[in-house]
Amino acid sequence: MKARGWRIAAASIGLAASAVLVVALAWLWFLHWQPDRTRYPLRGIDVSHHQGAIDWRAVAADDVAFAYLKASEGGDHRDRRFDRNRREARAAGLAVGAYHFFTWCKPGAEQALNFIAAAPPDADALPPALDLEFGGNCGRSPDGVQLRRELDTYLALVEAAYGRPVLLYVTPEFFAAHRQDLPARALWRRRIVRAPDASARWTLWQYHNRGRVQGIDGPVDLNVFGGDAAAFAQWRALRAMSP
């Protein structure tokens, strides 16, 4: 009986060890997964003050071509590392853009003025981006009519200031709920590990939220551009249409 008990215990330990190994290997696979780089050769990151101090020269040397930096949120919040990140990322040779986190609790006009003040228009910047998502937002969720009204106000002010069409970042949940309410703009779609569905074209794809790159201590969002270097240069130079 004792021998049988030991065999059962050993088998249980072996199964537990195997399960731990499977989980570890799956996590390792997840951390290193990336889309087909021959199809999407340009990789980028998006960061905020949460990433802390960044060695941008190390980032640029680690197969990163562009970066979107959080500039502002709502009506008055400014990201405290935006100016330094922008200056150092550009010095490292990256293409750099700014984004604003849109909140339901502030008017679109107020948020637009906050973003413009935080990230003054720059001809060399990537198109300005607008982060639209439920996560981390205020408790009040607008209906489609309210959302579109505030978005249209925000976009009119920002695009007039920048002379560039705004790029809309959307999570799967937000896109499913408000796709019909969004104005026609290029999309930056979030879809972790799996490609976005083919129902709507995208310009940027955020494919990872726990990625690792040299120069950043901790996880970072990873993205790819949906084209080659020539297409990227064309998109980067795109100007807003006159009303």
Side-chain angles (χ1 to χ4, degrees):
M1 290 294 292
K2 288 185 177 179
R4 182 181 179 187
W6 279 111
R7 286 197 297 271
I8 293 173
S12 298
I13 293 172
L15 288 173
S18 297
V20 170
L21 179 61
V22 168
V23 170
L25 290 174
W27 180 248
L28 189 64
W29 173 88
F30 169 73
L31 290 179
H32 291 88
W33 185 88
Q34 59 181 337
D36 180 357
R37 298 303 305 287
T38 59
R39 185 175 182 183
Y40 307 118
L42 295 179
R43 184 171 78 148
I45 60 174
D46 59 275
V47 302
S48 70
H49 71 273
H50 292 294
Q51 274 67 44
I54 296 175
D55 181 345
W56 284 102
R57 293 194 181 280
V59 170
D62 192 19
D63 188 29
V64 174
F66 63 91
Y68 265 96
L69 317 174
K70 184 175 182 178
S72 54
E73 177 175 338
D76 55 10
H77 176 77
R78 310 277 177 85
D79 191 277
R80 62 179 179 268
R81 296 199 64 88
F82 173 74
D83 289 331
R84 181 170 183 174
N85 280 336
R86 179 170 59 174
R87 181 176 65 254
E88 294 182 358
R90 284 180 171 172
L94 274 68
V96 179
Y99 77 88
H100 174 83
F101 184 93
F102 197 84
T103 176
W104 324 131
C105 295
K106 293 289 184 179
E110 185 177 339
Q111 297 191 63
L113 295 177
N114 185 31
F115 176 68
I116 294 168
D122 186 330
D124 192 47
L126 295 174
L130 183 61
D131 184 345
L132 299 170
E133 57 182 293
F134 295 126
N137 220 304
C138 65
R140 183 183 64 196
S141 184
D143 62 30
V145 174
Q146 293 172 320
L147 174 66
R148 182 58 182 266
R149 181 176 63 245
E150 299 305 329
L151 277 180
D152 283 346
T153 301
Y154 178 93
L155 294 175
L157 291 170
V158 170
E159 291 178 345
Y162 279 81
R164 316 288 299 279
V166 170
L167 176 69
L168 301 182
Y169 171 92
V170 291
T171 62
E173 299 79 13
F174 182 89
F175 196 52
H178 287 294
R179 177 177 180 176
Q180 71 279 4
D181 306 315
L182 298 179
R185 296 294 189 281
L187 295 177
W188 176 3
R189 298 185 63 182
R190 172 187 172 95
R191 189 73 184 275
I192 304 304
V193 174
R194 292 164 47 186
D197 63 72
S199 65
R201 297 182 61 183
W202 52 269
T203 297
L204 297 185
W205 166 21
Q206 186 184 89
Y207 68 87
H208 215 307
N209 63 342
R210 305 290 297 179
R212 297 292 193 276
V213 299
Q214 296 296 317
I216 297 179
D217 183 16
V220 64
D221 295 335
L222 300 178
N223 307 269
V224 287
F225 175 74
D228 59 14
F232 185 80
Q234 185 177 23
W235 170 67
R236 186 177 181 180
L238 188 64
R239 301 293 159 184
M241 296 179 63
S242 301

